[in-house]
Amino acid sequence: QAIEWFHKSLAVNAHNYATLNDLGCIVYLQGNVQEAITFFKKAIEANKQYRMPVCNLGFVAFTEKLV
């Protein structure tokens, strides 16, 4: 149900970097690696000063052995 609320938040503001990052975390924990990467990249694009999605993207890349 949390994902539904995050998507509603994005419907109001598709560039909400914190919501994009949080969704990336949720879908990653559900096993959706590529979707998580997409959300983290969107969060970075929405606010290049917000470092959390950069860390999360690095974590996923390292954990999933993508680097």
Side-chain angles (χ1 to χ4, degrees), residues 38-59:
T38 299
F39 279 122
F40 294 142
K41 287 181 176 181
K42 286 181 179 181
I44 293 166
E45 186 63 31
N47 183 346
K48 292 177 178 41
Q49 302 302 314
Y50 184 54
R51 291 289 160 226
M52 189 58 69
V54 175
C55 294
N56 290 335
L57 188 58
F59 172 81

Side-chain angles (χ1 to χ4, degrees), residues 3 22-33 35-37 39:
I3 290 179
D22 291 346
L23 265 171
C25 293
I26 291 169
V27 299
Y28 178 72
L29 291 173
Q30 293 178 330
N32 300 316
V33 176
E35 188 177 5
I37 290 170
F39 279 122

